[in-house]
Amino acid sequence: MNDAIRPQPGILDIALYEGGKAQVAGMNNVLKLSSNENPFGASDRAKEAFGKTVHTLHRYPNTDHHSLRHAIGDVHGLDADRIICGVGSDEIIMMLCQAYAGPRDEVVFTEHGFLMYRISTLAVGATPVEVPERERVTDVDAILKACNKHTKLVFVANPNNPTGTMISSAEMERLAAGLPPQAILVIDGAYAEYVDGYDGGAGLASTRENVVMTRTFSKIYGLGGLRIGWGYGPRQIIDVLNRIRQPFNLSNTQLDVAEAAVRDQDWVNKCRAENARMRHWLAESLAEVGVPSDTSLANFVLARFSTVDEAEACDAFLQSQGLIIRRVASYKLPNCLRITVGDESGCRRIAHAVGQFKGMK
């Protein structure tokens, strides 16, 4: 190994991201509830748009994402010129770190926050600053206490992943108002569509110069396999991000399918309602067998067990039944299992299996 060839500082401190497990060795009838995917998939309109794009595979996509940005703007009542599209919201997060953080800068996020915040921070040589939550809920006072003259970005997922909890818009506004003048608040709204009447932070991003909102098509829109996200914020910040964005970062397929998906709000409303119904049922069913969870406002439930050993044993038992959920020890929640809300049969299957496990003890 050539010791003279070295990566930038911070990169080797990055632990490789591990996605939700998708297979169990030797089993065919596997139910995957580990990646917070929409069990109903994409809408028919999105699928139809996907099929049509086969005829334009040889064409370069539009570099300014005009049609998709205007579709998002129309649906959400936002200024299309203040929207940026990316390869999932992950790319927007990375671009924010590239544009606004570097060596000697600090990026703040909560202890159970999305792993990409730390990864993106280390990738640009900045210092990650992790602050405690209050019983798995974002603590605004703890975040403000952690901020200083070196703070450049503050990431808050609302609802949070993997806890499913969220804070009020008033608390988010208090956080934005209390940040140092050079800091940007990034509201990660990946699960915003699952909360009825919630704008994901769009209102704050519309009125404040220090707030950016990120969103994704990977969750309620059922397009995780295409990797499409977007961000919204002050015009000057979006202009900066567009200067470092790869010009052809989204293909014609991604752009056309996302546009069809966002315009099909009937599908979104149907998926939201069914998720809320089964989320409530699943949480109550787990509680009845002694597995509590916080009130979730996303498309998953964070099941809490009494010990790490019990959580790991339950995971092993579920896998033996062909059920894949997500261990979240990497999120500092080793005694918890994150369970995606599936369709009704999937939820009943997982609840029955957890009940069997608890009954064997």
Side-chain angles (χ1 to χ4, degrees):
M1 180 176 180
N2 187 344
D3 291 336
I5 299 176
R6 299 178 181 177
Q8 292 288 344
I11 292 178
L12 291 181
D13 295 325
I14 297 173
L16 294 178
Y17 182 89
E18 293 186 18
K21 190 173 181 179
Q23 297 178 336
V24 177
M27 301 201 70
N28 294 321
N29 185 26
V30 170
L31 176 62
K32 182 188 176 190
L33 297 173
S34 59
S35 295
N36 299 340
E37 296 155 333
N38 184 342
F40 307 108
S43 72
D44 287 342
R45 288 172 63 177
K47 293 175 184 176
E48 181 182 3
F50 181 87
K52 291 179 178 178
T53 65
V54 70
H55 303 293
T56 60
L57 296 180
H58 60 302
R59 300 295 186 189
Y60 277 96
N62 190 299
T63 61
D64 69 0
H65 309 150
H66 180 274
S67 293
L68 177 55
R69 288 189 296 103
H70 280 266
I72 293 170
D74 289 346
V75 169
H76 294 286
L78 302 175
D79 180 355
D81 290 337
R82 294 171 60 179
I83 294 172
I84 184 171
C85 301
V87 183
S89 54
D90 293 358
E91 188 182 30
I92 310 297
I93 291 168
M94 177 60 81
M95 286 193 290
L96 283 161
C97 288
Q98 288 176 320
Y100 291 99
R104 297 177 296 281
D105 294 330
E106 295 180 355
V107 176
V108 177
F109 48 86
T110 65
E111 63 180 318
H112 305 311
F114 184 37
L115 293 178
M116 286 307 301
Y117 307 151
R118 175 180 293 275
I119 290 173
S120 298
T121 299
L122 291 171
V124 299
T127 301
V129 177
E130 183 182 287
V131 303
E133 297 181 9
R134 189 189 307 115
E135 295 186 351
R136 298 165 301 282
V137 178
T138 297
D139 187 337
V140 169
D141 290 321
I143 293 175
L144 291 175
K145 184 178 179 181
C147 292
N148 56 51
K149 64 181 181 180
H150 302 291
T151 305
K152 292 298 180 68
L153 294 162
V154 175
F155 286 103
V156 176
N158 205 45
N160 191 27
N161 171 30
T163 63
T165 60
M166 69 181 293
I167 60 175
S168 68
S169 295
E171 277 291 273
M172 195 69 79
E173 186 168 6
R174 182 167 75 88
L175 173 57
L179 292 182
Q182 79 285 351
I184 299 171
L185 171 61
V186 183
I187 303 174
D188 182 346
Y191 298 92
E193 284 85 359
Y194 287 104
V195 186
D196 193 24
Y198 175 51
D199 71 355
L204 271 183
S206 296
T207 58
R208 296 195 62 91
E209 295 183 353
N210 67 337
V211 177
V212 173
M213 175 189 70
T214 65
R215 303 285 277 271
T216 185
F217 284 89
S218 296
K219 302 305 177 185
I220 206 166
Y221 288 103
L223 298 177
L226 284 186
R227 309 301 301 124
I228 312 153
W230 58 282
Y232 180 76
R235 194 179 301 270
Q236 65 270 24
I237 293 179
I238 299 303
D239 175 68
V240 168
L241 299 185
N242 272 316
R243 291 170 187 269
I244 63 172
R245 177 179 61 84
Q246 293 293 314
F248 300 110
N249 61 330
L250 291 180
S251 67
N252 285 320
T253 299
Q254 290 167 298
L255 293 169
D256 292 353
V257 175
E259 181 178 348
V262 77
R263 291 195 182 280
D264 192 352
Q265 288 298 302
D266 287 343
W267 179 254
V268 172
N269 294 334
K270 176 182 177 180
C271 292
R272 180 191 302 113
E274 187 63 9
N275 176 80
R277 182 177 77 89
M278 293 315 303
R279 180 182 61 204
H280 177 75
W281 182 91
L282 179 60
E284 287 209 333
S285 297
L286 294 177
E288 287 174 0
V289 297
V291 181
S293 61
D294 298 312
T295 299
S296 172
L297 290 157
N299 68 333
F300 55 84
V301 171
L302 185 67
R304 301 202 311 275
F305 294 83
S306 58
T307 66
V308 175
D309 288 344
E310 185 186 25
E312 292 179 350
C314 184
D315 178 38
F317 177 76
L318 293 176
Q319 288 190 49
S320 75
Q321 304 299 303
L323 299 167
I324 303 175
I325 48 78
R326 181 73 180 268
R327 289 190 190 182
V328 284
S330 59
Y331 284 94
K332 297 180 171 57
L333 293 162
N335 66 320
C336 298
L337 300 175
R338 192 189 69 188
I339 305 172
T340 301
V341 177
D343 59 15
E344 183 165 350
S345 64
C347 287
R348 291 187 179 279
R349 186 175 166 188
I350 195 84
H352 176 71
V354 174
Q356 280 186 307
F357 167 77
K358 295 291 287 187
M360 293 189 305
K361 295 174 60 182

